[in-house]
């Protein structure tokens, strides 16, 4: 987190913290699943999927980085309303930005679900062979909820 304070605006991830967190998570999951998945779905053309996915991902990250620099201190959800409706038409901006925010949140939830499932499978396969996968995943989420419910924020740089 950029700073720890009473102001909720200071309790946010910096651009570089969020970029490194998302990138390392996606690379970690991609190394385990991408080769098998692309060859199953695309056969000989499987080499094109990582290239196309990388180009689209880098464009999305670039766009979010440009908007984050233009609206410093605001999150994606906060400045979406301004981007779509301006300062004068905040209500219109809310309704126009709602589909984009929902797509972002759904993608975030799906990515979290896939990542936690793969991480749980790795833990069950490599370390805790007799533990059910559900116990590993539920314990990860319970631990995350306990850490996030506390006063101190469990983030790098603290």
């Amino acid at each position: 987190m950029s700073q720890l304070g009473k102001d909720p605006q200071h309790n946010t991830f910096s651009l570089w913290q969020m970029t490194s967190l998302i990138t390392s998570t996606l690379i970690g999951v991609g190394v385990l699943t991408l080769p098998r998945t692309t060859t199953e779905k695309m056969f000989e053309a499987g080499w094109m999927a990582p290239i196309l996915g990388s180009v689209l991902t880098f464009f999305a990250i670039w766009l979010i980085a440009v908007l984050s620099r233009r609206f410093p201190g605001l999150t994606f959800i906060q400045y979406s309303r301004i981007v779509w409706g301006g300062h004068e038409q905040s209500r219109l901006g809310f309704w126009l930005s709602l589909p984009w925010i929902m797509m972002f949140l759904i993608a975030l939830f799906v990515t979290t679900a896939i990542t936690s499932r793969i991480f749980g499978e790795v833990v069950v396969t490599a370390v805790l062979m007799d533990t059910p996968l559900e116990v590993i995943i539920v314990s990860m989420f319970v631990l995350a909820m306990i850490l996030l419910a506390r006063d101190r924020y469990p983030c790098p740089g603290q």
Side-chain angles (χ1 to χ4, degrees):
M1 292 186 151
S2 53
Q3 291 181 3
L4 181 64
K6 298 290 183 193
D7 186 15
Q9 188 174 6
H10 292 292
N11 295 330
T12 60
F13 284 105
S14 70
L15 174 64
W16 290 112
Q17 286 174 332
M18 184 62 94
T19 302
S20 64
L21 181 66
I22 291 173
T23 303
S24 63
T25 302
L26 293 179
I27 288 174
V29 171
V31 166
L32 295 173
T33 61
L34 189 61
R36 180 180 52 92
T37 305
T38 55
T39 54
E40 281 179 356
K41 302 290 184 194
M42 299 184 70
F43 302 108
E44 292 85 16
W47 62 271
M48 294 186 326
I51 294 172
L52 183 62
S54 297
V55 168
L56 292 174
T57 301
F58 283 127
F59 175 73
I61 289 173
W62 173 80
L63 186 62
I64 289 174
V66 167
L67 289 171
S68 293
R69 277 192 220 114
R70 186 171 176 191
F71 302 104
L74 297 179
T75 64
F76 170 74
I77 294 175
Q78 291 170 333
Y79 66 69
S80 292
R81 180 183 282 192
I82 299 169
V83 168
W84 287 97
H87 290 288
E88 301 83 27
Q89 298 180 346
S90 180
R91 191 168 187 82
L92 176 65
F94 170 77
W95 289 108
L96 290 176
S97 67
L98 193 61
W100 296 102
I101 292 170
M102 292 306 295
M103 285 191 311
F104 173 75
L105 292 176
I106 289 170
L108 189 65
F109 292 148
V110 168
T111 304
T112 302
I114 292 171
T115 304
S116 61
R117 171 70 187 235
I118 291 172
F119 183 76
E121 287 177 357
V122 168
V123 169
V124 167
T125 304
V127 182
L128 304 171
M129 286 86 149
D130 295 330
T131 307
L133 178 63
E134 294 82 11
V135 172
I136 301 293
I137 293 174
V138 168
S139 64
M140 283 191 305
F141 284 127
V142 167
L143 179 63
M145 287 175 48
I146 290 170
L147 290 173
L148 291 174
R150 297 188 57 187
D151 237 0
R152 299 190 60 144
Y153 293 91
C155 293
Q158 290 298 314

